[in-house]
Structure formats: structure tokens, C-alpha cells
Amino acid sequence: MLSDPNLYDYWPYAGRPKLVWPGGKKLAFWIAPNIEYYEYAPPANPKRQAWPRGNPDIVGYSQRSWGNTIGHWRLMELLDKYGMRGSISLSIGLIDHHPEIIEAVAERNWEFFSHGIYNTRFSYEMTEDQERAVIRDSIESVERATGQRIRGYLAPALTHTERTMDLIAEEDFWYTCDLFQDDQPQPVKTKSGKLISLPYSLEVNDVITYSVMGYTPDQYTDILKRHFDQLLEEGEESGTVMCIPLHAYLVSQPHRLRPFEEALAYIASHSDDVWITTGQEIADYFRNTYWDQSLMDIRARGVTKGGSGFEIA
């Protein structure tokens, strides 16, 4: 058993090479609406049950169904109002269940990235061939439906194997959302490819704020503003990244949407300093502009352990 997963090296914040986003922007901002599909009666997994209240759960199923029927459409209209493109964390099976959503997102030139096939199918216990098949199916299904090649990956229900990062890097994914170690992009230690960890916050994820912490809509708005202000201030020294991960069945509830809009309006009002973009565009820019510089700085600090994920050199 390793003392740590060795997916990235310790890289202290202070003294890193300065990041500057396109146009001299200080903060790269992206929104990741999760469009998920939860099966009513998923196959059992020995390590985790799909529905916390027990399987099957018509209450949980219908709540998430509301997100796809009502909530997501509300959220799209709101982002349209502020000229913001979403980066869709997609349960790939939704392409077959709700193609209308896929068409509406594609028409807006939003990004898609993979969140597995269903959020009720976990990576736990998958063989390498099975996990590789899921990843390749994600690529092929989105490309077939939209013409878009996906470049990002968020493991289904945040479940992984020791092979996950190597497999997505091997398939030419550019970023993972599954690591939460930083407020700037960082190279991930994989056997091949150029995979980065792209900041995707649990702290401002509406699942955590509403379902876990039980915050009010006004409290969530205040959290988003304070999170943004701190990252923008630090972006004066070196460019930061802020992501708001969303779930329409939560944030788009009638009593929550307008307070959330207040946060979006606040962020949009700082557009002179903020690059409002997608996950793929941030990853592409970092890989092409700062990848080599970042690796050189990590090595120069003498803290690298070498090797790749779950293997020390």
C-alpha cells in the first residue's frame, strides 16, 4: 500500500511560474452543469449502492428526472442570458434517453465531457477492458451525436480504479476533474499523454452546499462571491481557475435560481479581468503554454518522487 496515490507531486503555490490567461485575464472561469442519468433499478455493485435510501428509490429517481425535464432548460436559459457556455458533465447514456437535451446543448456550442455512462454504474470492480470500453464508448457516442471530440473526464459518481488516469491519458483526454488538490491546473503523472488536473471544486458544488451542508440559496450566493473574490485577488499574481459544478435538480429549483443568478451577474460584471470559457479551452491553453514550464518548476524544487500514478519510480 502506497502512502499516497502519486498522481501529482507536492508543488507549493508560492513561487510558481506566473500564469496569464488569454487577453491578460487573471481568472479563468467555467461552469460545469452535470446532466446525469440515474437508473431506477441499476445492477448491484459490491462496494456501493446506487441509491442511499435503498434500491430502487422512486423518490430519488423522480427528483433527478425533474432536473432533466425542467431544471436543465431553466439553467440553459439563464446561462444564455449572460453569454456563458457550459461544459456539460454528461452521463453518456442520456444521449439515448433525452436526445433533445443533447441537441439543445450542441446548438449552443457548449462543451461536452464524460461523466461515465450512468451515474449509477461505478468504476469499482471494473476490469481494465471494461473501463477502457466505457471511456471509448464515451468518445464515440458523443462524437456520433454531436461531431464533438470530448477531452475531459469526471469518473461516474467520482469512482475510480488505479488505472483510470492512465487510461484517459492514453485515449488523449486533456483534463480530469477528479482531483481537487489545487486552484491552478497541474500535470497529472500518467504513463503517456499530457493530462492535467483542472480545478473543479467540491466546495462550491451545489450538491455539497445544498444536499450535504444544507445552506440556503442566499448563503450559496455569498459563498460563490467570496470564492470568486479570493481567486480573482490571487490571480493578480498568477492566473487562477474557478469552476462552478452544478446539478439542475438542485440549483434550478424555483426558489434557488434567482439568488444563483445574482452570483452569475456579479462574476460577469468583472469580465475585464475574467476569461469566461470552457474546461476544454482552459486545458488546451495550459497544455500548449505552461505544460513544460510547470514540469520544469516541479523538478527544480527537488520534490518529485518520479514514476506515475500508484507507482513510485
Side-chain angles (χ1 to χ4, degrees):
M1 179 67 70
L2 296 175
S3 60
D4 71 71
N6 198 37
L7 289 165
Y8 48 86
D9 287 310
Y10 176 64
W11 192 26
Y13 203 19
R16 291 179 184 175
K18 181 172 182 175
L19 303 186
V20 180
W21 299 120
K25 309 287 186 174
K26 301 167 187 174
L27 186 152
F29 174 75
W30 65 297
I31 295 181
N34 287 259
I35 308 184
E36 300 169 330
Y37 197 89
Y38 288 78
E39 301 160 285
Y40 173 58
N45 186 287
K47 291 194 173 180
R48 178 175 168 181
Q49 67 174 21
W51 296 106
R53 287 166 25 107
N55 299 337
D57 182 6
I58 195 170
V59 174
Y61 178 85
S62 59
Q63 181 193 32
R64 278 130 178 107
S65 179
W66 180 94
N68 291 330
T69 305
I70 305 293
H72 174 69
W73 301 91
R74 271 193 193 140
L75 185 59
M76 279 199 302
E77 288 182 4
L78 180 60
L79 295 187
D80 287 348
K81 181 176 178 179
Y82 291 93
M84 295 179 176
R85 293 161 56 212
S87 294
I88 297 297
S89 173
L90 181 66
S91 291
I92 302 299
L94 192 129
I95 292 172
D96 296 325
H97 293 279
H98 300 307
E100 300 87 351
I101 293 179
I102 303 303
E103 291 168 10
V105 170
E107 284 172 5
R108 288 165 167 78
N109 193 30
W110 288 14
E111 178 197 1
F112 292 95
F113 65 94
S114 177
H115 194 17
I117 306 301
Y118 292 114
N119 221 35
T120 40
R121 303 281 180 110
F122 309 132
S123 301
Y124 301 139
E125 304 293 306
M126 279 189 185
T127 66
E128 181 172 339
D129 286 345
Q130 288 171 330
E131 190 170 16
R132 192 188 304 278
V134 166
I135 293 165
R136 288 181 175 172
D137 181 74
S138 297
I139 297 169
E140 293 164 5
S141 295
V142 174
E143 200 155 19
R144 195 163 49 243
T146 70
Q148 184 182 138
R149 165 61 215 255
I150 57 174
R151 297 295 182 183
Y153 196 77
L154 177 67
L158 305 187
T159 62
H160 319 89
T161 71
E162 292 187 357
R163 301 176 298 267
T164 302
M165 300 300 170
D166 281 323
L167 289 176
I168 61 175
E170 185 181 313
E171 296 293 339
D172 198 24
F173 280 74
W174 295 350
Y175 69 92
T176 172
C177 300
D178 284 308
L179 304 175
F180 305 95
Q181 87 284 7
D182 219 293
D183 290 325
Q184 293 180 316
Q186 178 174 357
V188 180
K189 298 168 72 172
T190 54
K191 293 183 176 69
S192 64
K194 291 171 64 175
L195 182 71
I196 69 165
S197 170
L198 188 63
Y200 174 96
S201 176
L202 289 179
E203 294 294 320
V204 295
N205 188 318
D206 59 353
V207 164
I208 304 301
T209 54
Y210 285 135
S211 295
V212 178
M213 303 303 294
Y215 291 139
T216 67
D218 288 336
Q219 286 175 315
Y220 186 37
T221 297
D222 184 56
I223 287 167
L224 291 172
K225 287 181 177 180
R226 287 190 280 121
H227 197 88
F228 173 80
D229 285 343
Q230 182 67 33
L231 289 174
L232 184 59
E233 181 180 327
E234 292 177 10
E236 292 270 1
E237 299 297 321
S238 183
T240 53
V241 177
M242 178 174 174
C243 177
I244 306 180
L246 298 170
H247 300 74
Y249 72 89
L250 292 169
V251 75
S252 296
Q253 293 290 342
H255 63 290
R256 291 176 177 152
L257 200 65
R258 289 193 180 179
F260 177 67
E261 180 177 0
E262 183 183 326
L264 287 189
Y266 182 74
I267 291 167
S269 72
H270 292 77
S271 59
D272 286 349
D273 292 321
V274 178
W275 181 28
I276 299 173
T277 184
T278 64
Q280 179 173 326
E281 289 174 356
I282 299 170
D284 187 40
Y285 186 79
F286 182 87
R287 281 162 35 101
N288 289 322
T289 311
Y290 295 111
W291 174 272
D292 292 336
Q293 214 177 343
S294 299
L295 288 179
M296 287 174 59
D297 187 65
I298 292 168
R299 289 170 188 147
R301 293 173 186 244
V303 294
T304 181
K305 295 187 289 296
S308 59
F310 302 96
E311 295 181 6
I312 305 273

